[in-house]
Amino acid sequence: MSKSRTLFAGIFLVFSLFACANASDKTPGIAVGEISKQVLLAEYAKFSSQYHGFSLTDKQAEQVRTWPKELVIDVYFGTWCHDSQREVPRLLKALAENPQIKVNLYALDGKKSDPQGRAKQAGVKYTPTMIVTLAGKQIGRIIESPKQDLVTDINNFILAAS
């Protein structure tokens, strides 16, 4: 009887492990590497709810629409980071007003690194870090949270670079 219990326990353990492995496939873990806005918002509920719950003022929307099309924003963030969960969706919502602006989303692991080493090369130490470039030249960085708000800070970078 002892052998049959041991066999049953072994079979039960194997089935449990497979069930757990399959269940985790349905729940996204920590994203690492380049990720699209669509995937981020579809698979990470905190980002989606922040995105849909945020709105710009009319003044902010107008400012974003005037930003030059040569503007590029590289965003280094963690899907696990509460600052990222707040600020990245706000940036994406603002940029929806001007689809010509290029945004690159780089998800980082808990050590703030990515497989391609972009975060290390960019000197990222905190998340999120948003690096704003205009015509290939860095004009500013927003680290963890903006000084005023994302639109005002980026607008000030653009004005200072002119």
Side-chain angles (χ1 to χ4, degrees), residues 72-76 122-124 129-133 138-142:
V72 177
I73 303 174
D74 291 333
V75 182
Y76 298 89
V124 173
T129 294
M130 301 174 187
I131 302 173
V132 183
T133 60
Q138 181 177 317
I139 60 172
R141 281 185 184 222
I142 298 171

Side-chain angles (χ1 to χ4, degrees), residues 20-96:
C20 290
N22 289 337
S24 67
D25 290 343
K26 296 175 185 171
T27 305
I30 294 174
V32 179
E34 195 164 0
I35 187 170
S36 70
K37 170 185 171 182
Q38 293 77 15
V39 170
L40 181 65
L41 296 179
E43 295 186 10
Y44 295 88
K46 289 183 181 181
F47 286 83
S48 180
S49 66
Q50 286 287 333
Y51 180 88
H52 293 294
F54 179 72
S55 59
L56 299 171
T57 66
D58 291 339
K59 180 182 176 186
Q60 289 172 321
E62 184 55 39
Q63 285 177 323
V64 173
R65 285 187 216 112
T66 66
W67 289 353
K69 65 181 178 180
E70 297 84 13
L71 197 68
V72 177
I73 303 174
D74 291 333
V75 182
Y76 298 89
F77 71 101
T79 53
W80 44 267
C81 168
H82 69 278
D83 290 332
S84 296
Q85 293 166 355
R86 180 188 65 246
E87 299 300 336
V88 173
R90 289 178 180 181
L91 176 68
L92 295 174
K93 188 72 167 259
L95 294 177

Side-chain angles (χ1 to χ4, degrees), residues 87-143:
E87 299 300 336
V88 173
R90 289 178 180 181
L91 176 68
L92 295 174
K93 188 72 167 259
L95 294 177
E97 292 292 327
N98 190 341
Q100 293 184 59
I101 306 302
K102 182 170 172 63
V103 63
N104 299 306
L105 299 172
Y106 304 111
L108 307 179
D109 63 20
K111 295 180 181 177
K112 298 173 185 83
S113 63
D114 63 295
Q116 292 76 28
R118 291 181 178 119
K120 182 177 182 180
Q121 184 179 353
V124 173
K125 293 185 184 350
Y126 304 99
T127 56
T129 294
M130 301 174 187
I131 302 173
V132 183
T133 60
L134 181 60
K137 180 182 175 196
Q138 181 177 317
I139 60 172
R141 281 185 184 222
I142 298 171
I143 300 171

